[in-house]
Amino acid sequence: MRAIPVASAALLGVGALASCAPGVVAGHGDHYVMSVGYDVLPSTIAAGGQVSLLVDRDTSGCRGRVTVSSEVFDTVTIAPRSTRATALVARDATPGAVYRVTFMCGGLGAVKDLTIAGGRPAGPSRVPGGVHAGAGGSSSGFDLGDVALGAALVAGSLGAAYRFTRRRTASDGA
C-alpha cells in the first residue's frame, strides 16, 4: 500500500522540476517548436533588406532539408549539407511590425521573430523609463540569499515527502 504515496511524491517532484525548466519548447499547431539551433540575422531589418537564415546542425539536431517561411519573404530551402540561406524581405513590409519566421525540419519546427525597422512598434505603447528587462539568465541580480532560500525549500519538500512515505500506521503492524 506504499505505492500510492511514493508515486504521489515522485509526481510532485517531477512537476516541480518541470516548472523550473527553461522554456525552449512551446506548442505550435501540431508540432513542437524547438527554438535552439535556428536564427534570423539580423533580427531587425528595414523593408526590402536581406536576412540570413541560419541552422546550427549540431545544436538543432536537424540533418535534413530545412524549409523556412514567413509572410514577409518567399519560402526558402536550406540544403541538408548547408547551414545558411538568404531571403529578401518584401519592400511593402509594415515598419514596426514583427513577423514570424518558421523553420521546418522533418516534423519539428522552430519559430523566430523578424522585426521591420522604422515606425512605432506594433502593440502597446512604450512608457518612457519603463521596466528594465533583458537581464534574464545573467548574474546581474544574483542574490545568495534567494539561492539559499530556494535550496532550503527544495530540501524541505524532499524531506517531507520522504517522511510521509516512510510513516507507518497502526495497521502496518508497527
Side-chain angles (χ1 to χ4, degrees), residues 34-38 55-63:
M34 302 295 292
S35 62
V36 178
Y38 301 93
V55 59
D56 182 341
R57 299 290 181 173
D58 294 329
T59 306
S60 69
C62 176
R63 301 287 177 238

Side-chain angles (χ1 to χ4, degrees), residues 2 166-174:
R2 293 182 190 208
R166 301 295 297 169
R167 185 173 61 176
R168 294 179 178 224
T169 62
S171 64
D172 286 342

Side-chain angles (χ1 to χ4, degrees), residues 35-77:
S35 62
V36 178
Y38 301 93
D39 213 351
V40 177
L41 293 178
S43 60
T44 301
I45 192 160
Q50 185 173 344
V51 293
S52 293
L53 308 168
L54 308 171
V55 59
D56 182 341
R57 299 290 181 173
D58 294 329
T59 306
S60 69
C62 176
R63 301 287 177 238
R65 178 178 32 183
V66 179
T67 304
V68 188
S69 60
S70 177
E71 67 180 89
V72 76
F73 58 77
D74 292 331
T75 300
V76 175
T77 301

Side-chain angles (χ1 to χ4, degrees), residues 98-169:
V98 178
Y99 292 93
R100 177 174 282 180
V101 178
T102 305
F103 293 79
M104 291 300 295
C105 179
L108 296 177
V111 175
K112 294 292 182 174
D113 288 335
L114 176 62
T115 304
I116 306 303
R120 295 184 54 87
S125 61
R126 293 189 199 173
V127 176
V131 176
H132 173 71
S138 71
S139 61
S140 65
F142 184 76
D143 182 14
L144 194 55
D146 287 343
V147 172
L149 178 61
L153 288 171
V154 169
S157 297
L158 291 175
Y162 178 78
R163 179 166 168 17
F164 285 126
T165 59
R166 301 295 297 169
R167 185 173 61 176
R168 294 179 178 224
T169 62

